[in-house]
Amino acid sequence: MANKYLVIIDMQKTFIFSEEEHFNRHSSARDIVETLRRLPQKIRNFVSEHKSKFNYGILTKFVNTSNSSFVKYLSYCGRMASSEEIKLVDEIFDLANEYRYSIFEKNTYSIFKNRQVLDFLENNHITPLFPAGVCLEGCILPNAFDGSDLGYNVKIVENLFSSAYGKQAYDSGIIILKEFLPTLLMATE
C-alpha cells in the first residue's frame, strides 16, 4: 500500500528571516520577504487542514558542508553550517512531533541525492510525494524533476512554496512545471 507524504523543504530560520541578502540582490525584495514570512504559517495551516490526506511527512534541512558544490562553485563558505543557522522555523519544526514527520539533512538541492531519504522512501512505500517549502528555483524544481526521473509520483502543491527571485520568477516556474511535468501540478484553494 502506498503512503502519501508531504515533503517540506528547507523551511529554516535563516532562509525565512534573512532580509539582507534579498534587499541587496532584488528590486522586489519587500515582496519576497513578505511572501517568505507568510509561508511557514501557510504550510502549517495546509497540514492541519489536510492531515487526513497524508500518512506522514518529511522535513528537510539544508546543511552546508566543506565539500559541497555550494562551497566549491558558489563561494558559500561558512554559511548554513552552524546549528543556529540550520534551525527549522518553529511552525514547521513542531510538525515533527505533532504529526510524526521525519527530519533529514541534505547538502544539495534535491532530497533524492540523499541515500537515507531514498531508503526511507523505499522502506515505507512512499508515493506520491508532495514537495513544499522555500525556493521554487533551487528546491522545488530540482525535487520535482529528480523525483519524477526516479519514478516517484511527485505532485506539486501550488502556493506552498516561494521564489527567491519574486513573482515573475515564481510565475515562470509554474510555467515550467506545467510544460514539462503537466500532471504534477495541483492547486490549493
Side-chain angles (χ1 to χ4, degrees):
M1 177 181 199
N3 291 306
K4 293 180 182 177
Y5 267 65
L6 186 64
V7 180
I8 302 174
I9 302 168
D10 301 350
M11 292 296 296
Q12 292 161 254
K13 291 181 179 185
T14 299
F15 291 140
I16 302 298
F17 297 112
S18 175
E19 293 180 12
E20 185 177 320
E21 185 174 328
H22 293 296
F23 284 117
N24 290 334
R25 293 192 313 180
H26 306 292
S27 59
S28 61
R30 287 205 196 294
D31 292 338
I32 294 169
V33 169
E34 287 176 21
T35 299
L36 282 171
R37 296 253 168 93
R38 287 190 303 265
L39 190 58
Q41 192 58 51
K42 185 185 279 191
I43 291 173
R44 176 83 183 155
N45 291 344
F46 179 84
V47 169
S48 295
E49 292 168 16
H50 297 89
K51 61 185 168 194
S52 66
K53 294 182 182 179
F54 299 99
N55 301 80
Y56 302 101
I58 293 173
L59 306 175
T60 70
K61 295 193 315 186
F62 173 74
V63 179
N64 198 18
T65 57
S66 60
N67 63 342
S68 76
S69 60
F70 296 92
V71 171
K72 290 178 188 174
Y73 307 115
L74 301 174
S75 302
Y76 215 61
C77 299
R79 297 181 63 205
M80 296 305 292
S82 73
S83 60
E84 194 60 35
E85 288 178 304
I86 65 168
K87 283 184 177 178
L88 294 169
V89 295
D90 295 337
E91 298 92 332
I92 301 302
F93 180 75
D94 291 343
L95 297 174
N97 293 325
E98 196 172 332
Y99 294 105
R100 299 185 303 195
Y101 278 41
S102 299
I103 300 174
F104 292 95
E105 293 182 355
K106 63 185 185 63
N107 69 348
T108 187
Y109 297 107
S110 173
I111 64 168
F112 297 102
K113 306 286 194 249
N114 180 320
R115 184 76 248 163
Q116 289 177 309
V117 172
L118 292 173
D119 290 344
F120 181 81
L121 295 173
E122 186 176 321
N123 292 336
N124 292 287
H125 311 288
I126 298 170
T127 191
L129 295 170
F130 297 81
V134 298
C135 199
L136 169 65
E137 304 82 4
C139 297
I140 303 300
L141 286 171
N143 280 285
F145 287 119
D146 285 353
S148 181
D149 285 347
L150 291 172
Y152 288 96
N153 181 8
V154 180
K155 302 227 179 248
I156 303 299
V157 182
E158 189 177 350
N159 302 326
L160 290 187
F161 49 85
S162 64
S163 168
Y165 300 96
K167 177 140 176 49
Q168 185 176 357
Y170 180 94
D171 292 343
S172 296
I174 296 296
I175 290 168
I176 291 167
L177 287 168
K178 286 180 178 178
E179 182 67 26
F180 292 100
L181 301 167
T183 62
L184 302 185
L185 190 69
M186 70 179 232
T188 62
E189 304 74 34

